[in-house]
Amino acid sequence: MTQPTAKPQETLGWRAWLTADVPASRAQARAAAWFNGWLRFRSNTLAMVGLIILLFIILCAVFAPLLATHDPFVQNLGNRLQPPGADGHIFGTDSLGRDIYSRLLFGARISIYIVLLVALVAPLLGLIVGTIAGYAGGWVDVTLMRFTDIFLAFPRLILALAFVAALGAGIENAVLAISLTAWPPYARIARAETLTIRNSDFIHAVRLQGAGPVRIITRHIWPLCISSLVIRVTLDMAGIILTAAGLGFLGLGAQPPSPEWGAMIAEGRKYILDYWWVATIPGLAIFSISLAFNLLGDGLRDVLDPKEAGR
Amino acid sequence: MSAIDINALNVWFGEGDDRNHAVKNVSLKIAKGESFGLVGESGSGKSTVLRTLVGLVDDWDGRMEVDGKVLGRKRDGAFYKTVQMVFQDPYASLHPRMTVDQVLSEVLKLHGFKDVNDRVNRLLEQVGLGGGFRFRYPHQLSGGQRQRVAIARALAPEPRILLLDEPTSALDVSVQAEILNLLTDLRAEFGLTYLMVSHDLGVIGHMCERIAVMQFGEIVEELDVENMRKLSATHAYTKHLLESSLGSVR
Amino acid sequence: MSHLLDVENLWVKFPTRNGVFDAVRGISFSLGRERLGIVGESGSGKSMTGRAVLQLIRKPGRVEADRMEMNGTDLLGASDKAMRKIRGRHISMIMQDPKYSLNPVMTVGQQIIEALRTHEKVSQAEARKRALEMLDAVAIRDPERVMGLYPHEVSGGMGQRIMIAMMLIPNPEILIADEPTSALDVSVQLQVLEIMDKLVKDRGMGLIFISHDLNLVSKFCDRVVIMYAGRIVEVCEASKLHEAKHPYTQGLLNSVPDLVHPRPRLEVLTRDPAWREAPSVSALL
């Protein structure tokens, strides 16, 4: 696709290129749309705070081997339960004498791993089920939605527990269990969105061009559902991390000695009255990542809300 | 052979006790190259006739022919290459997340055209939009420009029949004039057949040669535009409509 | 000497990311005991003008003016509380679509009675009696039955007549009607307008009739103000609208397809950028 009309505008600088009223190419139009969203997002201070916290945690996870002061797995029983700051241990040591700061850094990797996997699996599943149900209607809708209701009828943690118990403990199974329990709300959202979109004129118009249901769902309905799902997922992230931590706490998530934050709290529980930091510091980590996702979700809602997009 | 031949069409909405008889025993014959107007007030079933014809409504019986071919329950690709529709509200008929280019390219690809790039440019020119509009999103366009894009989309498969569902009622009068002129030009250029629905007798009188008046799902009167101008309608409802729209026009 | 309404140099401003957007740019007009039409296309600022008078511009929008007085009372500096008293009691507004302006969970009767009782101390029985009279005045047959209906149970035309009843029952001095009939079918349009017109005339009220339809306005108003891009481009007597001088007004008139006098092509309005910059014409009396 060459664009003969595209006069090079680079001389005006990339900003002018991005804010041009008359985009000259597909890429420019898309970039401009993203840039506009970014401008709107940036004006939301709290969301930016969330994004910065999150970026900070991601950087910590990526550079954990460089940032860590100790090996997170090496035990030193002679040096156990040291308070924060003592002997080069920034956040102190746990009941087996492991450096909490280093474990926290490596634990971030596990948390982000869980979050990413769940964020990919659950909404995708929900999106597929919800849009098919919403677009097809009739008995397909009834069957799929009753199936969804069954999953919704169980408390999430209990259902996840049951799955993990059946599949065996471990991070991957924990992710699978959480995803399997997390998708129904997404299916509901996607279906509700689809129902309103399905009867709009722009869907009628593509139907009149002979487009089939698969094309309509994936090309025309998904792009409009995804924004509300992304918002919901970021807002749910906190809950997902807490569920993962909860599974870890109950010993059904990451297995010792891996430094999963929930498992770390579980270990520190026994000492919480005398050695508060062992449980509190991973708790604070969970708190900050949850908060970051919540703030981010609020900001994304402002950017992505279709009602706002029309200005 | 007529372009459109509808015989004893009945359409229902809803199910069970709520089943509502929206169109009752409607018959229409529209010759090739003719411009036919369907007039009525909201709820008279005029738009429903159009939607049923293009296959957006399932619950109907009767006989519908387009270009001599009887329409079944499902419309095929060939049908959509013959008949296209322009919707009422240009704010609702364009996908909010797709650029003009994406909208038109997709349609062209769906109809199996190869020279998509050239055709997009040509379509935009035909509806009076320059290449500068090609990569804009709907929210960057005015109502009239959006309706032009919608017309370009309808023209993409090179149809011979265009169904127009109140194409200008959401627009300002000055923009309405531009769109109506465009539609007049396109009809002359491509020899299109129009079936136009409107509540505005002025617009219908300007665009159409023959009209049918609908009330409560039925056609109460069919007359040509000359008789409409002379106000020589026979049915009381048509007279009332003509008088009240004269009242607001003059 | 003050009229029912005097507005001088009115601005309505909306801050956006790309600077301040002026929806209304320094217009002046007054309203006597007359029917004043404000005509313009979408985006001309006509609706914003009506809303600005009632201080109904939502934040972050701002209303600025040198003077905005109703019967000599200042509206600009009026507190929220004072404005609430003025709205309804002295100035009423009818919006485009009755579907959105009536409360869906209250019966029509309750809403009319409430409209009256918020502004006047009358007994329930008295209020009910007057509500019935008012419904009768807007040509609703069987008002007893209609009082008990919910808004979704009435047609668009009847809904708009109910709105008119509700807005006129506190006997305001000024009625602002913003496209009161655009959502209605042509055959009910005239009826609704005639009812509104009669009530306004009988009660000696001032009417501001905001519409995009020049011909309708020329029929139901005494004086017409034509707005373009937030400014007034022309003021003329409604009966002489067809002799309007400004090319924009002429263009608007000519672009309407006419049933009785057909033309092969409709005239297309070419917009002169100078119209936008020309100073606003004063519509003060």
Side-chain angles (χ1 to χ4, degrees), chain A residues 101-149:
Chain A
Y101 166 70
S102 307
R103 284 179 69 74
L104 219 50
L105 290 177
F106 281 91
R109 294 184 151 190
I110 300 176
S111 289
I112 287 167
Y113 174 68
I114 293 175
V115 161
L116 278 184
L117 276 183
V118 175
L120 282 179
V121 178
L124 194 68
L125 205 62
L127 186 66
I128 294 170
V129 172
T131 46
I132 291 176
Y135 189 75
W139 62 268
V140 177
D141 183 23
V142 173
T143 317
L144 285 175
M145 285 340 273
R146 289 302 80 78
F147 187 65
T148 312
D149 286 345

Side-chain angles (χ1 to χ4, degrees), chain C residues 33-52:
Chain C
R33 295 197 181 277
E34 59 170 344
R35 299 165 301 170
L36 176 71
I38 301 183
V39 195
E41 296 188 286
S42 50
S44 61
K46 57 186 193 306
S47 290
M48 286 299 160
T49 306
R51 287 165 175 270

Side-chain angles (χ1 to χ4, degrees), chain A residues 172-261:
Chain A
E172 280 76 15
N173 288 342
V175 166
L176 201 61
I178 295 170
S179 304
L180 283 175
T181 55
W183 68 269
Y186 304 125
R188 287 233 154 246
I189 295 173
R191 176 176 173 270
E193 292 264 325
T194 309
L195 286 181
T196 54
I197 299 166
R198 182 178 69 170
N199 285 323
S200 56
D201 279 348
F202 59 85
I203 296 296
H204 290 323
V206 279
R207 276 178 67 188
L208 295 195
Q209 303 291 354
V214 175
R215 183 182 198 96
I216 292 176
I217 289 176
T218 55
R219 294 285 194 84
H220 295 262
I221 293 182
W222 279 11
L224 292 174
C225 290
I226 280 171
S227 49
S228 51
L229 283 187
V230 167
I231 294 160
R232 183 65 197 255
V233 170
T234 37
L235 290 174
D236 277 359
M237 269 322 165
I240 289 167
I241 291 166
L242 292 178
T243 313
L247 286 176
F249 181 84
L250 294 170
L252 293 167
Q255 291 304 298
S258 87
E260 203 271 326
W261 293 348

Side-chain angles (χ1 to χ4, degrees), chain B:
Chain B
M1 190 172 60
S2 327
I4 297 174
D5 189 349
I6 296 174
N7 202 351
L9 177 71
N10 285 287
V11 184
W12 293 269
F13 281 129
E15 277 166 34
D17 291 343
D18 295 333
R19 198 160 182 246
N20 174 18
H21 202 166
V23 173
K24 298 169 195 155
N25 203 20
V26 161
S27 300
L28 284 176
K29 248 193 182 106
I30 301 165
K32 276 202 177 126
E34 191 182 16
S35 175
F36 190 91
L38 212 48
V39 183
E41 305 199 319
S42 49
S44 64
K46 56 190 194 307
S47 292
T48 310
V49 173
L50 255 58
R51 285 171 181 261
T52 312
L53 186 67
V54 292
L56 291 175
V57 181
D58 292 323
D59 194 2
W60 58 275
D61 70 25
R63 187 183 164 86
M64 294 193 284
E65 272 178 36
V66 166
D67 263 358
K69 281 195 253 349
V70 179
L71 300 181
R73 290 285 132 181
K74 288 235 185 302
R75 311 282 184 278
D76 53 7
F79 173 80
Y80 292 125
K81 263 178 131 49
T82 316
V83 182
Q84 276 298 320
M85 181 159 165
V86 176
F87 293 86
Q88 170 174 11
D89 184 358
Y91 292 87
S93 69
L94 294 178
H95 195 288
R97 293 279 160 83
M98 285 169 90
T99 59
V100 174
D101 173 65
Q102 282 172 302
V103 169
L104 296 179
S105 306
E106 180 180 26
V107 170
L108 289 166
K109 278 178 205 150
L110 274 169
H111 288 281
F113 291 110
K114 291 283 174 286
D115 48 345
V116 169
N117 199 35
D118 296 339
R119 276 178 183 268
V120 170
N121 283 331
R122 210 181 319 148
L123 279 170
L124 286 176
E125 235 158 73
Q126 278 164 0
V127 297
L129 293 173
F133 291 93
R134 183 163 172 182
F135 298 102
R136 291 202 195 181
Y137 286 93
H139 68 83
Q140 295 168 309
L141 302 174
S142 70
Q145 289 163 349
R146 287 177 196 224
Q147 199 60 305
R148 284 171 192 268
V149 174
I151 292 171
R153 173 178 59 194
L155 288 177
E158 300 177 342
R160 273 159 290 157
I161 300 169
L162 218 50
L163 308 181
L164 306 162
D165 187 2
E166 306 245 17
T168 57
S169 65
L171 306 173
D172 280 323
V173 278
S174 63
V175 182
Q176 164 172 298
E178 291 170 22
I179 297 290
L180 292 181
N181 281 344
L182 172 68
L183 288 170
T184 310
D185 295 345
L186 290 171
R187 181 167 160 235
E189 192 178 343
F190 300 109
L192 297 169
T193 306
Y194 283 172
L195 171 52
M196 185 175 193
V197 156
S198 180
H199 68 276
D200 188 331
L201 287 169
V203 170
I204 288 282
H206 176 75
M207 293 293 292
C208 302
E209 288 125 31
R210 256 182 342 125
I211 66 160
V213 181
M214 285 189 76
Q215 187 190 22
F216 308 131
E218 286 173 277
I219 292 188
V220 296
E221 186 165 6
E222 238 185 273
L223 69 169
D224 59 25
V225 86
E226 295 309 318
N227 281 324
M228 187 165 111
R229 291 209 178 99
K230 281 185 258 159
L231 307 185
S232 59
T234 49
H235 195 278
Y237 178 68
T238 315
K239 277 185 190 158
H240 174 61
L241 260 190
L242 283 169
E243 273 156 23
S244 33
S245 59
L246 279 187
S248 72
V249 169
R250 271 291 102 159

